[in-house]
Amino acid sequence: MRDAAPQTIYLKDYTPTPYDVAHVALDFTLHPTATRVQSRIAFTRVRAEDLVLNGEDLILKSLRVDGAEVSHEVSETHLTIPAAHLSGAFTLEVEVEISPQTNTALEGLYMSGGMYCTQCEAEGFRKITYMYDRPDVMAPYEVTINADTPVQLSNGNPTAPGCWTDPHPKPTYLFALVAGDLVATTDHFTTMEGREVTLNVYVRPGDEGKTDYAMDALKRSMKWDEDVYGRPYDLDVFNIVAVDDFNMGAMENKGLNIFNSKYVLASPETATDTDYAMIEGIVAHEYFHNWTGNRITCRDWFQLCLKEGLTVYRDQQFSADMRSAPVQRIKDVLQLRARQFREDAGPLAHPVRPEAFVEINNFYTATVYEKGAEVIGMLRTLVGPAAYDAALTLYFDRHDGQACTIEDWIQVFEDSTGRDLSQFKRWYAQAGTPHLTVTDDFKNGEYTLHLKQKTKPSAGQPDKAPQVIPIAMGLIGADGTEVLPTQVVEMSEAELTLRFELDAKPIPSLLRGFSAPVILETEQSEADRLVLLAHDTDPFNRWEASTLLAKSNLMANLTAGSAPATAWLDALTKVITDDTLDPAFRALVLALPSEDNLANACDAAGIVPDPTAIHTARKAVHLAIAQHMGEALPALIAATETPGPYSPAANDAAKRSLRAQLLRLQTRLDGGTMARTAYDAATNMTDQLAAFGCLLSAGDTKVAAAFEAQWRTDRLVMDKWFAMSVAEADPDDTVAVATALTQHADFDWKNPNRFRSVIAGMTAMNPAGFHHPSGAGYRFLADWLLKLDALNPQTTARMSTAFETWRRYDVDRQALIQEQLARIAAHPGLSRDTAEMVGRMRDA
Ligand code: PHE
Ligand code: ZN
């Protein structure tokens, strides 16, 4: 335990430091258990207060101020030098010893697969040396690395072997160091300003054949940020390093991005189309942080969405440009609903800009990231694309080199557009997803739409005020023709009435492109949805109509055992066989809402969800679709073939995604015959994994061993094998299967990717197994959380959110979950991270 009594940090308490930092010089002598870090930090006194620096798990060896020893105090978390010893400008020289080998939290300097690497966001630098470990203290860095490793990297430009200079002032969280036996793939990029940049992707020997796509994605990202945002790169080198042990996806350290190897390494045989798309999006995300995050950073961690919301928004725009914009939007909204709406509806709900935290690592959430990105999208919709571009230019001009707040961001939009955005700011302050309820009426040639907005109370926020909601909408005639093309209506009061002069009652197509992160509640009939599915000019709402139809048919099966409506099955078949539609769009139409989504739908409808029944209903409806499409399936599957060499680009990936859905349906009918053929014929991981899932779901007993034998030595493919084995297990066997897998020789639970494969393979991919009425799933999760917490609090705390939906379930399940949460909370030495999360989940 790091603190005896964990403290809550408040936004309102922000105060600048009493000392400025002008320069940081670091000298590392690397050793697995006794690394020496010498720092020379140039300070200037601003206020006559003690110098209090952060520092944890450090052994202080020496300390001098301007060459002289001075009295000081060291606690578990801080170094304090009395103000009396300090005045004007002075240099603090400190030497500490740290032990990267035993650092299992993967924060600070640690080792992964024999290599040294760092992770400093949010507060990892304090485990490297004493410093103001906060984002508003920015300084240029000079770093020397003494090590016998072939490669030594840090931020900025190299000046000599093992020596790096970063001229751009940066906060501690962007510091990085890597040293080890690494091989580089090298390429070049010339910026719009004519700067020649060397690009390297560093990986462990043996992985060098899997870096091409990440490099390609990097070059496209650099070009895109110049073309679309006018932002060039600003150093002579840009390095990416892949590490196997990493808590998150990747990290935007200045000039030295460090990635979870899962988001760098790809070959057609080992990575799926989804992996390729993730690599493209994450490489772009980290690169885009160079301007939105690094050059303009956050004043304090409450402003995290300033960099994350904007950077997610930018990477979504990039992916939309690289691939299909409508498909990208649908996928982004699926994610948003699955993760952020879920978070916003439960005990962990918090505003996009939180006002208090105990452990900042717990606030790298779907709300900060994804809802944060939606807020940017709404702002752009409200002011228009040209005004958005102008505001961004002003943002970069005005704030380059600064640590900023959401107020600064909004001010830029107010100044450049002349608009008052004070009400819009509520999107940053109010937790919870607004419900938008719509009723309509047609009388005497007048069509009225009546809209009401309401947000439910959440922890600490009993009353919510109306928010500014941009509603992109159109109207469709009963025959499918569009009678009103898309227009954006701004709703800012609790209620709004819209009137249209028309000949006949239209079908409203509201929230086109999902123009705001709200829950739309309408009285739309199934017949109207069928018209929208067939005719809406907005692809997002066409897809939305299909999900709503799927959901109502699934709910009818679940609650009344009803067979799916023929009209829906016909409409579905029509879309699937329509060759004019993007196969990726068709695949999304065919994908049924997830089990978790249905559990949420039950909850919203006042029905206590039964995960077992949901699982069964979903299977039954899936079978009905398969039977309805019946004979058409083999020909459809044949039409989705992608001959020739594998290409990860959108066109072929789209076909493969439709193929995977169709093969799932076919497996319901033939018990896996065609999937077996597909499995044997597969020449890429996308096709192989799709067929593998089908075979597992059909109860094939041999395929798991064959897959394992083929891929035993590839750790990223084996992560998929672990995850799929749990995900596809029968709910009654899930915990047994997962338990057996945790006893597998290759189950390295200290590796976050492997841990997540098995644990989230159950909690996220097999909800009926996780929520098994025996409570075995809950116990299994709690056991593993307690085990990992002692080593890696950050990943443990994140994984504990599997429990966040407990309130939805029946009293028996609630009691079983509460029992596990209580057991975790009572565990001696529980980390601050996990204690905060479990506490928030229990309190609510
Ligand atoms: N800042 C990283 C990103 O969004 C995420 C991250 C946070 C990584 C904390 C590691 C630790 O790109
Ligand atoms: Zn980010």
Side-chain angles (χ1 to χ4, degrees), residues 119 121 248 250-252 285-286 289 307-308 364 369:
Q119 173 52 46
E121 188 177 7
M248 308 281 275
M251 180 62 211
E252 69 265 24
H285 179 97
E286 305 313 330
H289 267 314
K307 75 176 176 83
E308 295 304 346
Y364 287 76
Y369 276 64

Side-chain angles (χ1 to χ4, degrees), residues 306-355:
L306 180 75
K307 75 176 176 83
E308 295 304 346
L310 178 54
T311 305
V312 170
Y313 183 69
R314 276 151 50 71
D315 85 55
Q316 291 177 346
Q317 285 184 306
F318 170 77
S319 293
D321 280 357
M322 295 295 131
R323 292 162 182 262
S324 149
V327 166
Q328 182 65 33
R329 184 62 186 147
I330 293 167
K331 288 184 175 170
D332 290 339
V333 174
L334 273 166
Q335 273 289 317
L336 180 80
R337 285 178 173 157
R339 302 180 51 223
Q340 201 278 322
F341 281 25
R342 172 181 148 120
E343 184 167 76
D344 237 353
L348 300 176
H350 56 275
V352 170
R353 179 169 68 178
E355 272 152 32

